Amino acid sequence: MSGPGPYHSEQSRRTPGRRPNVKSSSGPSNQPPGPSMPMPHHSVHRPTHKPKPKKKASDLVISQQLRELVPESQAYMDLLSFERKLDATIMRKRLDIQEVLKKPMKTKRKLRIFITNTSYTNQSKSPGDQLNSEECQTTWELKIEGRLLDENGQVRSDPRAPKKKFSSFFKSLIIELDKEMYGPDSNFVEWHRNPQTQETDGFQVKRPGDKPVKCTINLQLDYQPQNFKLDPRLGRLLGIHTATRPVIVTALWQYIKTNKLQDPIHRDTIKCDEYLQS
């Protein structure tokens, strides 16, 4: 035979130490891609749930035309009005609970105030000395003191308990004397609390004189937090006698919203009704 055998063909020759160039397209390559082959980026689109918009109070109100067609809808409007009042009451009670939780637990006790007055005449040190008119001048003294009592009306006698001074219960003290007897400059005695105040067990006032004097004592308690007493007419309107500033403002705002006194265009304008005007 003249042709070469199968073992001498060009396709069957192998070069020792070199692998054949084989390209495979059946599977992915295990080599990392170069700069010309970027990694595929798969983005996952998750469905976003938008929160449902909260209905406004105006959306819940039935129009006047529909109320004329359905007379029974007035019961629904009454229910909305009752719901507003209930929300205002719940908000007020929530504020009260928050204020109680902020303050420590306290025991209700009585503060008994004692007001005494004494008069005396100056005397010399030795019986043989003669006294002039200035040394024989009569002076009166006014004392205001107090004691903290327990539930049974007895003075607490526990030595381990910290004793609070009488002045620590008050924010200010004003004593007004007779203006005709002591003039406009000496008829007022004032005491006001400040950060540098030193507590005391009582207050004492001395003035010259031997005649009865009309005296007015004004004691202002130191509430924590600070309380305010409303005008009787405003108190009856809001149902509050004495309360803190947040409680009063919340009650007034609820009254404004319930009676629709806020201007719909200028929201910072409040229209006073006949009760607020009085």
Side-chain angles (χ1 to χ4, degrees), residues 50-186:
K50 296 183 179 180
K52 295 182 180 180
K54 186 178 180 181
K55 292 186 178 180
K56 300 181 180 179
S58 59
D59 299 338
L60 304 177
V61 178
I62 301 177
S63 61
Q64 184 65 30
Q65 298 178 355
L66 185 59
R67 273 184 276 178
E68 293 176 357
L69 296 176
V70 184
E72 293 79 4
S73 61
Q74 183 62 33
Y76 174 76
M77 299 301 299
D78 296 339
L79 184 61
L80 286 180
S81 177
F82 178 76
E83 184 181 5
R84 296 191 191 99
K85 295 180 180 180
L86 184 61
D87 292 340
T89 305
I90 293 175
M91 180 63 67
R92 189 182 308 172
K93 293 298 181 181
R94 185 180 299 173
L95 291 176
D96 294 340
I97 293 174
Q98 291 177 357
E99 292 184 359
V100 170
L101 293 177
K102 292 179 181 178
K103 297 185 296 185
M105 297 298 296
K106 296 183 179 180
T107 305
K108 187 176 181 180
R109 301 174 66 183
K110 295 180 181 179
L111 179 64
R112 181 164 295 174
I113 301 177
F114 301 90
I115 301 176
T116 58
N117 66 303
T118 56
S119 62
Y120 55 90
T121 303
N122 296 329
Q123 298 180 359
S124 66
K125 297 181 180 179
S126 58
D129 295 340
Q130 294 182 358
L131 302 176
N132 53 27
S133 59
E134 294 181 357
E135 294 176 343
C136 294
Q137 187 178 18
T138 303
T139 305
W140 59 266
E141 181 180 6
L142 175 67
K143 288 185 178 180
I144 304 175
E145 300 172 325
R147 297 176 183 175
L148 198 61
L149 308 179
D150 57 10
E151 297 179 355
N152 299 325
Q154 302 295 328
V155 179
R156 191 173 182 180
S157 59
D158 189 359
R160 297 173 298 178
K163 182 180 178 181
K164 296 189 66 175
K165 300 289 186 178
F166 176 70
S167 61
S168 63
F169 297 100
F170 301 99
K171 185 178 181 180
S172 65
L173 166 68
I174 300 176
I175 301 176
E176 182 181 0
L177 304 177
D178 194 346
K179 186 177 181 180
E180 297 180 357
M181 296 182 62
Y182 296 97
D185 298 331
S186 303

Side-chain angles (χ1 to χ4, degrees), residues 216-269:
T216 303
I217 302 175
N218 185 4
L219 291 168
Q220 185 177 0
L221 293 173
D222 187 16
Y223 289 100
Q224 296 295 337
Q226 190 175 6
N227 285 16
F228 299 89
K229 182 179 179 181
L230 297 183
D231 184 86
R233 293 173 294 179
L234 183 60
R236 288 193 298 268
L237 186 65
L238 302 180
I240 298 175
H241 180 266
T242 303
T244 58
R245 187 188 300 272
V247 175
I248 296 174
V249 173
T250 303
L252 183 60
W253 179 242
Q254 290 295 336
Y255 178 83
I256 293 173
K257 292 197 300 183
T258 302
N259 295 275
K260 300 179 180 179
L261 301 179
Q262 189 177 18
D263 192 281
I265 300 176
H266 304 284
R267 307 294 293 177
D268 56 345
T269 303

